[in-house]
Amino acid sequence: MKRSQRMSAVFLALVLGLCCQYVVSQDTAPDQSSGKKANIVVLATGGTIAGAAATGTQSGYTSGKVTIDQMLDSVPKIRELANLKGEQVANVGSQDISFDIMLKLAKRINELAASPDVDGIVVTHGTDTMEETAFFLNLTVKTEKPVVLVGSMRPSTAVSADGPLNLYNAVAVAADPKAKGRGVLVVMNDQIQGAHSLTKTSTTSVETFQSPLRGVVGVTAYGKNDFYNNPSWPHTTQTEFDISNVTKLPRVDVVYADADMPPDLIGASVAKGAKGIVIAGVGNGNMNKGSLQAAEQASKGGVIVVRSSRVPTGTVARNVEVKDDEMGFVASGELNPQKARILLSLALLKPHTPEQIQEMFNKY
Ligand code: ASP
């Protein structure tokens, strides 16, 4: 071989080598700046991500059929992202997630996060009540380590199931040191959302989760994460809520307001022992005259009444159309009824005046 031919061969080999390296690095895990794989625990609770149907194209399926080990084994290369350990905490559709399961999850996360051998936690969960569990954990887990919820809109057996990539991305976010200190996150459909602000907006679309007032925290694509925002509300280590000895939450009901709503729904709730009532109000957290009177009576009798809204976006402010100061009500701010119920249930673990609870709604 002539000298010039030899040089070309070396050059070609170098270029090929670099290309191969590029392809490999594009195809593997996100940056592990320390050079060590993170240790991630995946806590499974069920949901559509663990759901199965008889065929790949039918819309009917059963949630919570697949175990965490089956789920992890079905995602190519997920074990290259992190050292993974799975634990089955429950296996239910999230319509059946109870406060008992939320408490169990929060306690287990606090236990795991206290260990130096755990770098992050992923929770697989149904999407129907994911926003409630995410917000509950956001207020009760005591760690800066990433805690990431993930689900799917299509069952594991569907054509184009979204669960495997969602799970891959969730592990990549939980293993990313940049996810630390951002509160509880939800990873679905290539987006990273904050627990305070996200809500489910579509019954079927894979793009169901949105954070209408705050936007996404970041995006993720095949394990490469890009963070744009920090959630702006206090969370995790910054909150006053300690559930370590809590076994039961006080009863708080959500009452839905609409045209010609029967006012006796509020009295029925009080009679059943509710310590708090969240009104899913019309517009800016409003309800008809009879219901306002019933709510005022409940409030004067010691039940905390929070005005939230059935409208998907916007805030509920004090004393706009309703005289909160006179009637003793609390305005929910940005929190939708289901999240207002979570905050009020935690707030009522200790005695508080409506004014103190209003401060919590302003803060969290
Ligand atoms: N019903 C299911 C659940 O929430 C729906 C889902 O996961 O998307 O568990």
Side-chain angles (χ1 to χ4, degrees), residues 47-48 61 63 93-95 126-128 152-153 200:
T48 298
Y61 66 94
S63 279
S94 73
Q95 57 276 15
T127 60
D128 289 350
S152 77
M153 291 300 286
K200 185 170 182 176

Side-chain angles (χ1 to χ4, degrees), residues 275-330:
K275 302 286 177 263
I277 297 176
V278 174
I279 308 290
V282 297
N284 200 333
N286 218 334
M287 61 205 111
N288 60 22
K289 288 196 179 69
S291 301
L292 276 172
Q293 270 170 10
E296 182 175 15
Q297 205 181 334
S299 154
K300 303 265 151 86
V303 173
I304 302 288
V305 177
V306 174
R307 293 186 307 105
S308 180
S309 177
R310 64 182 200 171
V311 179
T313 173
T315 58
V316 172
R318 282 189 74 77
N319 300 314
V320 175
E321 271 188 280
V322 177
K323 295 179 175 133
D324 292 309
D325 291 347
E326 260 174 45
M327 295 177 146
F329 299 156
V330 172

Side-chain angles (χ1 to χ4, degrees), residues 138-145 181 234-240:
N138 199 46
L139 295 174
T140 56
V141 300
K142 299 296 163 207
T143 181
E144 300 271 298
K145 293 179 184 175
H235 55 75
T236 57
T237 51
Q238 305 148 1
T239 81
E240 63 216 73

